[in-house]
Structure formats: structure tokens, C-alpha cells
Amino acid sequence: MRTLKYAHAFEVVRELPTSLQGLRTLAYNFRWTWHPETRALFHDIDRDLWEAVEHNPVELISQLTPQALKRLETDELFIARLENCLRDLHDYLGSETWYQRTFPDAGDKVRIAYFCAEFGLNECLPIYSGGLGLLAGDHLKAASDLGIPLVGVGLLYARGYFRQFLTHDGWQQEHYPGYDFYRMPLSLVRGEDDAPLRISVEFPDQSVTCQVWKAIVGRLELFLLDSNLLENAARDQGITDTLYGGDEEMRIRQEMVLGIGGFKALTAMGKSPTVCHMNEGHAAFLSLERIRHFIEETGTDFRTARQAVVAGNVFTTHTPVPAGFDIFARPLLERYLSRVVQELDMPIDRLMEMGRIRSADTDEPFNMAVLAMENANYVNGVSKLHAEVSRGMFQDRHPDYPVDEVPIEAITNGVHMMSWISDRMVHLLDRHIGQSWRDDPTNPEVWAAVADIPDQDLWDMRENARGDFVRFARRHMRRIQERNNAAPADQTVVNQVLDPRILTIGFARRFATYKRASLLFRDPDRLRRLLHHTDRPMQFVFAGKSHPRDEGGKRLIQEIVQFSQAEGARSRIVFLEDYDINVARNMVQGVDLWLNNPRRPMEASGTSGMKVVANGGLNCSVLDGWWAEGFDRTWGWAIGQGRTNADENRQDEIDSQSLYYLLENEIGPVFYHRLDGGVPKRWIEMMRASMRNLTPRFSTNRMVREYTTRFYVPSGLAYSDRVANKQAKAKELLEWRDSLEQAWPQVQILSVTDDVDKKNVVGSDFNVTAMIRLGTLRPEQVRAQVLVGHVGMNRELDHLQVFDLTFVQSEGEDHIFRGVVPCDQPGLRGYRVRVVPGDTELKIPAELPLCTWEPGSE
């Protein structure tokens, strides 16, 4: 059959009465996703239609009948609510922000572009797969609330990630629907001639054209590139087809569009950033395009341009294992980046070095995370433990520095509270503590007021939220069955799954094998006893997708589904098919307990458990990611002891036994302990403690404030300083760096003496004197330091403290440095002296990893 294609195209939109025009304003700003009153407004227009269009307000408006519009137009209460929502949005956009108050003088020197391969703003814009995208969406929302001068940059996937459906035996299948961007809260970016803005990315065989779409996120803009244009070849139209789809070659094409095309789009729109934040390594090619653009704009050379640009780049890694990074073989890289390196006047060998942990190791493939690190002065992991793990993975980039000083800092993730908190909890908090928690969710004093909420009110909220979730789960399962043409008998079974009165535990995430979704099922009989305990029954709800090529993850899903279908588990274990933001939101709002049991330390952060906290849920998790920082027995439970075993099967057995013990002896008894049929006092106290202590700490508002204060503003100011006056500062720093590197081989530590005793009392101190030969360098150009630590096995030092020595006097090329070292820790201690570059505007050791150590046996 012949496929008919259009010869002429035009757009049709729903005409709204004057009094309802504001609906379109609200629909095209994603702030409705975190403003309960606006969400409720769209919901109340037509609840069934709102659900059917998957909470897409643009599609909701387009499907309203003339009769429905007439009804709304004559509904005075609805019109009043609409005007209130519009007024609230206007006030929000015009109010003074935290950023304006905190950095009134930053001005145009700080303009941030946040690049990410996926963004999870809402289920109606399905360009996300999991935690990375949800974090990126929450990052934008918090940046809007705080007034950060930031724009987002990503890709607009024509078929998203995938929709999940399961066969009768529980095996995951994937479906990739096509999406119509004109029916989403998006608009095409247009030029002065009103034609859609076009940018091009050069590939080996041809130039690929992309158009740019814009989503408004509160005060911010998110720009999304789309290659699905008729002027492109069919293969190139598919670059922005699916998220994380295709082979290695498709991946490099997508990442070139994201990094190179994304930066080109910003400059074409006149939005050149001073700070570029690469959220994961997918966007690392932007560092090369930014250097190329800088050279083109200023006429400077590659080294000077790079010296300026690295000051304005930030990189966040989310990967806790080497296998998780994007790796490209040299032939593929040469093919696709040959034109880029030619324009940079840089040999391909130099590019390969920039992507290797050990730059001289020609057998090592090209790593996108290393490219990002090599071209960013600020690098961070997403929890304290993850930063520690990352420093160990990348220590070989800085072999002369101890692992604790590898320049990877920690900024622990958070969640955007207003996007994930239930309407029931919003009303409870508004009623008892006012609305101040909405404006500043990081303020501990605000959350301390949770202590004043009566037990009965808190518990009624939890009971009702659990009931809401059970009803949602049944509706969701019925929709899935209707899609699959299920028999009426199956519909009857669905109406009986889950019990709104019993302890409900949630587990939802990407089904990677290291997340150990089947840990709970190692002892099926013991699990069944938990499900049907006479006095303390439990029920478990699972959800999540496996990557289409991850057979191991698919088998985990199948194992859970088949167990849930078996006699003895039916109705008490449920797998919710087709996991998305909507399912996640309902789960974190409705469950009593969130379960997380990854294989430590492979969970970089995790954020689902944080979302449960503000909804009054508790956490039971392995001490990994954020829970390694957040855990306290007064508000949650820890699986295991925070140790790792090289024998993974043995570790799984240990952790499963720990989990069963907690469920049987602590979690169940605390939840069901009711005096005289009342409320579970201790459980409620744990809820209060969890909300009071964790909500302000694990908020994206806190997280984005940290990025802004520690990274964005210093980075923007440093970049602006380096490019001023025809890059005078960048040239000066480059000259200083070159002279230091040339002179550094002359640096020697000739002798070290001290007056320390064999045994010393805590609180005493001792003197250290070092004779250091500096050659042509001056004492003020270096810093002499003593590194003191605990002496471990094989004489290595750990838990290091660093103390500076002071220059005393010179004797020709030799110089004496002296300092005092405190004995403030008991046990066997040791020290070693080193010399590093002195005070400089260069980042040490990120930009200049020079170091000379006192001679000694290794």
C-alpha cells in the first residue's frame, strides 16, 4: 500500500474564549508541574481526559469540546481559580530571588548552560529514562525557584525512551511510539524572519541540520535539538529518534549533536554562556566546540583558548563503575572528530590523550568522562561516597597526589520537593506550619515545626495516601489489561490486589543487575510468611524498566512477575508495568517504606528514597549513595553493615538475611504496634524525625545553591577574568604555567628534620624543618607542606591532614621551610613532606598537577 506524504503543512490550534486564554499561558510553563493549585485546575477541567492525555495540558486544551469550553467560560468559580493561578505565576516570575539577593554584583559574568542527554520534567514530555533525567529536571526547577541565570540544553527524542509491556510470562517487550511535539508544551525557536532556527553539525559524510525547541520551566528555558527534518538523510533524521538507542556509532552522533550542536544553538540565539555544566559525560564534546568557537571569535591560539575555557566548565559524574562510562575506539573517533581537531589545529593524538585516564597509554580507549574532566576546573560526584569511589577510579590521572586529593568534590543530589510531594501532604503542612516550607525547603527551622503536627493528623494523612496509591495501582493495572485485551476474570483479580490497610513497601528503579531487585526473593518461603503474617502482613510493589539489551535485567523482572502470579503471593506482590514519572510519583507518595538494596558501592546517589521522605515515608536501604550520609536508626533502617565482600554471592546472602531480619523483627513490629487500637506512636516519631532531618538536607534547592556558590559563580567570574582585555589573564596564567612546568624538574627536597619524640601526648606538637632546592623558582612560587596521617598496613598513610610550612630563609638555590605539626590524633602516626605550586589562580591539581615528594621507600 502506498504511503501518502504531505505536500503542504500548516498548524491548527484550539481557539479559546477570552476569559480562558490564560489556560494556554499556564500550560506552556512547566511550573504547573510543581504548583499544586495549577495542577488541580487542569485536573478539574476533566479528570478522565486529564488522565487519558497523560497530564499534558496542551493536549487537554486541544481536545476540549465547544460545550466543555462554554461550561468553563460560565463557571465563575473556575474563572476565579484560573485568575488566581495566573496571578501566582506572575508574582513568581517577578519576585526577588535568592540569587539576586546573594550575588547582586555577579551581573553578566555568570550565565550558565546546563547540558544533559535527558530531562525528566513530567510524563507528558517523555525524553527521560531514569534517575539522571529526573535529577536534571529537578535541577532546572530548583534553579528557577532560586533565580539562577541558567538555561538547559538537551535533545528532543521523537520516540522517547520506550514504553514497556510484559508478555504473559513476564518478559519485557519494548514499544517506541512516535510523539507530536506540536501537541506538547513546546514551541519552535524562530529567527528574526520568523523561520525556525537551524544549526548544523558536521559529520564525516555530510552536515546534519537541527532545529531547536523551547520548553519554559518557571523562570528558565530548556532548549532541545531535533534532527528529524526533511532536509536530512533518513539516517540523520533518526539521530534524535530514541534515547540511548542504536549502536556505538549512533551514540557518538547523538553526543556530537548534544555537545557541539547544543553549544552552537546557544550562540546562534545570542545566549553564549560563561559557565557550561556537563551533567554526565554525554555532553563532553561541547568543551571542544567551546574552544573552537572561542578561537574563531578571538583569533587566539588553541592553548590560550583552552586556558580560558576550562575555567568556565563544570562536570558532574554519576557513574560509580568504569564500565558505565561512554567509551569510543580510536577509528570511530578519528572518523567523526577529524574535522574538529583540524579546526582546533590539534593532532588527533592530543585528543586521544585528553580522553585517557593514563594519557600515555595508547591501548586505553577514549573515555568521555575523562574528556570532560580534562576540560573542566570543577568536577564532582553526586554523594560523599560516590566522590570517594570516583577519586579512586581516576587517581591515575594525578599519580603524584594521594587519592583524597584527586580533584573530584562531592555535591550530594537532592529532589525538588514540590514536584514529588502529595497534595494531601501539601494541605497538611500548609494547615499546620504555614506555607514557608514551600518558599525555602532547606530551612531546618521550618521543618522542626513538623513536631507540632498531631499524631492523628499525620497518621490519617498516611492512611489516606496509602489508600490513594492502592486505588491508583488498580486503575493502572486495569488500563494495562485493557490495552492487552484481558478477560473479565482478570479485571476482577485486579480489583483485589493490594490492601489499603497493611504495610506497603515500594521498590522502583532501573532494573540493572547491581540493584539486586531479586534480593527479597532469595528465601521464597520466608517471604510468603511475611506477606501473610497473621498480625503483621506486608505487601510489596515493584516497578521499573530494564535496558532493551540487558537480558539480566529482564530476567529479574520476569522472576518478580512470575512470583507475584504464583499461589501464595498473588495480591500481596505487584509489578506495575510501564514505569514512568507518573507511576514514580504515586509510589513515593503512597508507600509506607522505600526499599533500596544495591550492591555497595555501585549506587552513585539514588533519589527515590529522598522523594519518600517529604511524603512521610521511611527508608530501608543498603548504606550506599545518599543513604550512607542520611541514615540514622531514629528515622530509618540500614541493610547490612556498610561493608563489601569480594564474593558477590556471599554478600547477597548476608544482605538478604539482614533484610529479612529487619522486616520480621523491626519494621513490621514498629508499624503494627498500636496501643488500644490507636496510632503507631514509634512509627510516627520516626516519620517526624525523617522529615525534620532529611527533607532540608536532601533538597535540590540545597544542591543547586551548592553548585551556584561553590562552582557556578567562581567559575563564571574566573572565566570572565581570563577573557578580559584580550585574554590577558589567560595568557599570563599560561605563561606562568609553562615556566613552572619547565623549572619543576629542578625542585628537590634535600632534607627533612624534626624534634618529635617517640611517644607524644595528644595536644602536644612538634617542629618540622625542610631544606628544599628550587633551582630558578622563588620560594613564593611554591608551597611546602607536611602531610600527616595514620600509619596503616605496608606503611601507607591514610586520613591525611595537610599543614603548610613557612619560608624562613634562603641559602643560594636552597631554601629553608619550617612549621609546627599538632599531635591531635592518637595512634601510630606518620608524615611526609612535599612541594606543590604556590598560590595561583590556576586550579591545583586540576590544571597543574605538579608535585615533588620527600625521598623515601615506596
Side-chain angles (χ1 to χ4, degrees):
M1 185 177 77
R2 180 183 178 186
T3 301
L4 186 65
K5 298 183 182 293
Y6 71 82
H8 310 280
F10 52 91
E11 186 178 356
V12 179
V13 298
R14 169 72 65 191
E15 182 66 31
L16 293 177
T18 302
S19 61
L20 298 179
Q21 288 291 332
L23 284 174
R24 203 178 303 279
T25 301
L26 296 175
Y28 277 89
N29 190 320
F30 274 91
R31 196 216 173 204
W32 64 262
T33 65
W34 74 94
H35 187 243
E37 290 76 13
T38 305
R39 283 201 310 268
L41 184 77
F42 288 125
H43 172 277
D44 292 347
I45 289 175
D46 186 328
R47 172 179 173 172
D48 291 338
L49 181 58
W50 179 241
E51 296 296 329
V53 300
E54 298 184 317
H55 305 155
N56 179 348
V58 173
E59 183 68 3
L60 175 78
I61 293 170
S62 73
Q63 292 197 26
L64 290 177
T65 64
Q67 294 81 2
L69 291 173
K70 186 67 175 176
R71 172 178 57 82
L72 294 176
E73 188 182 13
T74 57
D75 185 336
E76 294 182 2
L77 178 59
F78 182 85
I79 297 298
R81 292 172 62 194
L82 171 59
E83 291 175 351
N84 283 337
C85 290
L86 286 167
R87 190 178 306 110
D88 186 273
L89 177 62
H90 179 269
D91 291 345
Y92 173 85
L93 297 176
S95 61
E96 186 183 39
T97 66
W98 171 85
Y99 181 83
Q100 291 170 326
R101 293 190 299 271
T102 309
F103 302 102
D105 300 323
D108 206 38
K109 294 181 178 180
V110 181
R111 304 186 305 275
I112 306 130
Y114 180 90
F115 286 72
C116 191
E118 52 176 301
F119 286 88
L121 294 172
N122 183 262
E123 56 270 24
C124 73
L125 184 60
I127 56 170
Y128 61 91
S129 72
L132 179 69
L134 299 191
L135 177 82
D138 280 10
H139 192 112
L140 294 192
K141 294 173 183 179
S144 169
D145 289 341
L146 297 168
I148 312 300
L150 180 148
V151 298
V153 181
L155 301 181
L156 187 59
Y157 303 98
R159 297 198 296 163
Y161 188 42
F162 67 86
R163 302 301 295 263
Q164 178 194 58
F165 66 96
L166 304 179
T167 61
H168 69 279
D169 64 346
W171 190 255
Q172 174 182 289
Q173 301 287 308
E174 297 86 31
H175 170 59
Y176 291 89
Y179 294 109
D180 183 351
F181 303 144
Y182 288 94
R183 302 172 80 96
M184 293 180 175
L186 302 170
S187 59
L188 270 173
V189 175
R190 299 180 180 274
E192 293 182 359
D193 57 356
D194 203 39
L197 178 70
R198 297 286 202 269
I199 60 99
S200 63
V201 179
E202 300 298 327
F203 285 158
D205 41 359
Q206 74 281 319
S207 175
V208 173
T209 302
C210 296
Q211 61 186 358
V212 185
W213 296 79
K214 179 176 72 174
I216 302 173
V217 186
R219 297 180 173 97
L220 310 183
E221 296 170 315
L222 167 62
F223 298 104
L224 302 167
L225 274 69
D226 167 24
S227 70
N228 190 17
L229 302 174
L230 287 178
E231 53 258 53
N232 289 328
R235 183 186 182 207
D236 297 330
Q237 291 176 25
I239 291 173
T240 58
D241 189 27
T242 60
L243 173 61
Y244 304 141
D247 56 12
E248 186 182 47
E249 187 166 4
M250 179 56 75
R251 180 63 66 88
I252 198 171
R253 292 162 75 87
Q254 285 188 334
E255 295 184 359
M256 288 179 68
V257 171
L258 173 62
I260 297 174
F263 191 85
K264 282 187 171 184
L266 291 179
T267 57
M269 293 183 290
K271 297 180 181 293
S272 296
T274 61
V275 179
C276 288
H277 185 169
M278 297 169 278
N279 193 41
E280 201 42 282
H282 310 116
F285 288 138
L286 83 82
S287 62
L288 303 180
E289 172 59 23
R290 191 176 184 190
I291 294 171
R292 188 206 66 77
H293 177 76
F294 191 92
I295 293 172
E296 182 180 76
E297 288 287 296
T298 63
T300 190
D301 61 284
F302 171 79
R303 295 185 71 235
T304 302
R306 182 170 176 270
Q307 189 69 55
V309 163
V310 294
N313 286 342
V314 175
F315 171 57
T316 298
T317 173
H318 295 258
T319 305
V321 290
F325 297 111
D326 279 344
I327 303 294
F328 294 121
R330 177 168 181 145
L332 187 66
L333 203 70
E334 284 184 315
R335 181 171 173 233
Y336 274 91
L337 273 298
S338 58
R339 184 173 301 184
V340 172
V341 296
Q342 181 180 357
E343 292 181 357
L344 291 173
D345 195 22
M346 176 178 67
I348 190 69
D349 286 341
R350 176 68 185 107
L351 175 62
M352 293 299 299
E353 290 174 358
M354 292 170 70
R356 299 190 191 118
I357 296 176
R358 295 164 293 277
S359 60
D361 183 359
T362 56
D363 292 329
E364 186 180 329
F366 186 89
N367 185 320
M368 290 291 282
V370 177
L371 175 65
M373 290 181 185
E374 190 72 11
N375 290 290
N377 267 2
Y378 297 89
V379 179
N380 73 285
V382 290
S383 70
K384 291 178 181 177
L385 179 59
H386 177 236
E388 179 183 326
V389 170
S390 297
R391 286 191 288 268
M393 283 197 293
F394 293 101
Q395 185 178 14
D396 284 351
R397 291 188 66 241
H398 304 278
D400 292 328
Y401 282 79
V403 66
D404 290 348
E405 293 187 320
V406 172
I408 300 177
E409 301 181 49
I411 295 183
T412 302
N413 283 344
V415 297
H416 188 255
M417 217 61 64
M418 290 303 299
S419 295
W420 298 101
I421 196 166
S422 72
D423 288 345
R424 288 192 185 275
M425 182 60 87
V426 167
H427 297 148
L428 181 71
L429 295 175
D430 284 351
R431 187 167 74 249
H432 285 284
I433 64 178
Q435 294 196 4
S436 55
W437 67 276
R438 296 195 192 198
D439 301 326
D440 186 7
T442 65
N443 188 342
E445 295 180 4
V446 170
W447 290 100
V450 171
D452 299 327
I453 301 177
D455 288 358
Q456 192 65 55
D457 286 4
L458 261 179
W459 188 241
D460 286 347
M461 185 281 306
R462 281 297 325 136
E463 295 265 66
N464 288 324
R466 189 187 317 112
D468 291 342
F469 175 57
V470 169
R471 287 186 288 274
F472 164 81
R474 291 174 180 174
R475 288 196 307 272
H476 183 81
M477 295 177 73
R478 281 196 295 271
R479 282 198 298 270
I480 296 295
Q481 290 194 340
E482 289 167 2
R483 184 190 68 186
N484 298 338
N485 298 314
D490 294 324
Q491 294 279 357
T492 301
V493 171
V494 166
N495 293 334
Q496 298 171 353
V497 301
L498 302 178
D499 186 331
R501 299 163 299 178
I502 71 175
L503 173 60
T504 304
I505 300 172
F507 180 103
R509 55 194 34 83
R510 180 169 55 91
F511 267 69
T513 51
Y514 78 86
K515 293 179 182 285
R516 300 190 299 180
S518 62
L519 191 71
L520 181 68
F521 300 86
R522 285 182 73 92
D523 189 337
D525 291 335
R526 198 170 177 183
L527 175 55
R528 287 190 184 94
R529 290 195 296 271
L530 284 168
L531 299 178
H532 300 287
H533 193 285
T534 305
D535 301 315
R536 300 190 296 273
M538 302 178 184
Q539 57 194 8
F540 295 83
V541 182
F542 289 82
K545 297 177 178 179
S546 172
H547 189 280
R549 293 193 295 272
D550 184 357
E551 297 291 306
K554 290 184 177 183
R555 280 193 293 272
L556 290 176
I557 293 174
Q558 186 178 48
E559 180 180 345
I560 294 171
V561 172
Q562 291 183 348
F563 187 93
S564 72
Q565 295 171 345
E567 199 64 37
R570 194 181 299 271
S571 83
R572 292 287 167 86
I573 290 188
V574 168
F575 187 94
L576 295 181
E577 195 172 323
D578 203 20
Y579 186 52
D580 66 357
I581 288 178
N582 187 39
V583 174
R585 185 190 306 112
N586 279 276
M587 285 189 72
V588 300
Q589 292 175 358
V591 299
D592 300 296
L593 183 77
W594 196 258
L595 178 62
N596 187 31
N597 42 240
R599 184 170 286 116
R600 176 186 161 99
M602 299 178 72
E603 182 86 291
S605 173
T607 57
S608 295
M610 302 176 189
K611 295 161 188 163
V612 170
V613 169
N615 287 291
L618 301 180
N619 278 271
C620 176
S621 175
V622 168
L623 291 170
D624 198 7
W626 81 281
W627 195 237
E629 300 170 42
F631 167 68
D632 188 287
R633 65 182 66 254
T634 61
W635 57 69
W637 291 272
I639 301 170
Q641 303 296 319
R643 303 190 185 98
T644 56
N645 193 312
D647 183 342
E648 291 185 351
N649 188 60
R650 175 60 179 158
Q651 187 64 56
D652 291 351
E653 179 62 23
I654 292 171
D655 288 345
S656 69
Q657 291 300 317
S658 173
L659 175 56
Y660 287 132
Y661 176 86
L662 291 172
L663 292 170
E664 293 167 341
N665 299 287
E666 296 191 25
I667 295 170
V670 172
F671 182 85
Y672 284 105
H673 182 63
R674 324 278 172 92
L675 296 176
D676 301 321
V679 300
K681 290 278 189 180
R682 187 178 165 207
W683 188 276
I684 291 174
E685 283 309 309
M686 294 182 73
M687 287 170 53
R688 282 201 183 91
S690 174
M691 294 176 68
R692 184 171 60 248
N693 290 281
L694 299 181
T695 305
R697 287 172 58 191
F698 296 100
S699 156
T700 41
N701 286 53
R702 182 272 310 157
M703 179 190 81
V704 173
R705 285 183 185 187
E706 278 198 64
Y707 275 112
T708 303
T709 303
R710 293 169 55 186
F711 290 178
Y712 292 161
V713 170
S715 186
L717 296 179
Y719 172 80
S720 299
D721 185 43
R722 291 189 186 190
V723 303
N725 301 318
K726 297 182 178 180
Q727 304 87 50
K729 178 63 71 173
K731 293 173 182 177
E732 175 189 329
L733 291 173
L734 187 60
E735 182 180 347
W736 187 88
R737 173 178 178 165
D738 289 346
S739 65
L740 202 65
E741 287 180 329
Q742 184 176 3
W744 199 259
Q746 305 169 42
V747 176
Q748 302 176 61
I749 299 177
L750 302 177
S751 66
V752 175
T753 59
D754 61 53
D755 59 4
V756 66
D757 296 327
K758 289 293 183 183
K759 288 188 177 182
N760 301 270
V761 177
V762 172
S764 62
D765 54 46
F766 62 92
N767 295 293
V768 172
T769 301
M771 177 70 77
I772 301 173
R773 179 163 296 168
L774 296 178
T776 57
L777 295 177
R778 302 184 302 278
E780 62 269 21
Q781 292 180 293
V782 302
R783 178 179 293 174
Q785 298 177 321
V786 179
L787 275 75
V788 183
H790 166 262
V791 177
M793 297 177 62
N794 302 318
R795 300 179 61 239
E796 77 277 7
L797 294 176
D798 54 35
H799 299 91
L800 295 172
Q801 297 173 282
V802 181
F803 300 98
D804 284 340
L805 301 178
T806 302
F807 169 65
V808 177
Q809 65 184 56
S810 300
E811 298 177 3
E813 289 187 350
D814 302 336
H815 310 274
I816 297 174
F817 291 78
R818 183 174 294 126
V820 177
V821 176
C823 297
D824 54 1
Q825 300 287 334
L828 183 60
R829 310 281 288 169
Y831 76 87
R832 197 163 182 177
V833 174
R834 72 176 179 190
V835 181
V836 296
D839 290 333
T840 173
E841 295 178 51
L842 293 172
K843 292 281 288 183
I844 309 294
E847 285 188 89
L848 195 60
L850 299 176
C851 183
T852 297
W853 288 93
E854 166 191 0
S857 57
E858 299 298 331

